Amino acid sequence: FKHGIAILTTADYYSLGNRSDSFLNLSLDVAKFEEYQTPIIHQLSDVKLLHWDIDIRVLASQSLSRVSKLNPCYSTTTILPKLLRPGF
């Protein structure tokens, strides 16, 4: 994995234990590596925004807002239209 050591030192067992910190800070730290931006954005928009737990959905929306700023072109052309579709 490219940047594997940097990611493992950032997202270790103890740092991932805090759900809010994982969504709001660690996801942003990992998404700063360009090759991980679109998979993280897709996971948040396609899976986590539809999660049964409302707390996860709220954290996912906040995280998506932060991570999308790293790749605004992709987010506005691919993710935003999908989120604005009726019945999302």
Side-chain angles (χ1 to χ4, degrees), residues 13-48:
Y13 178 79
Y14 295 103
S15 63
L16 291 170
N18 183 327
R19 184 168 57 180
S20 295
D21 191 51
S22 295
F23 271 90
L24 301 177
N25 298 318
L26 295 177
S27 63
L28 184 60
D29 291 342
V30 174
K32 288 180 182 175
F33 299 109
E34 189 174 333
E35 48 277 325
Y36 297 109
Q37 288 174 4
T38 55
I40 290 174
I41 290 171
H42 272 287
Q43 177 69 14
L44 291 169
S45 65
D46 295 347
V47 178
K48 299 302 181 189

Side-chain angles (χ1 to χ4, degrees), residues 38-84:
T38 55
I40 290 174
I41 290 171
H42 272 287
Q43 177 69 14
L44 291 169
S45 65
D46 295 347
V47 178
K48 299 302 181 189
L49 286 181
L50 304 173
H51 198 274
W52 62 268
D53 185 348
I54 191 161
D55 294 333
I56 297 293
R57 294 193 307 263
V58 169
L59 286 170
S61 66
Q62 293 169 343
S63 180
L64 185 60
S65 171
R66 291 177 180 205
V67 173
S68 293
K69 292 175 186 173
L70 298 174
N71 196 340
C73 183
Y74 178 78
S75 298
T76 55
T77 59
T78 305
I79 302 302
L80 187 60
K82 182 171 39 173
L83 296 176
L84 295 176

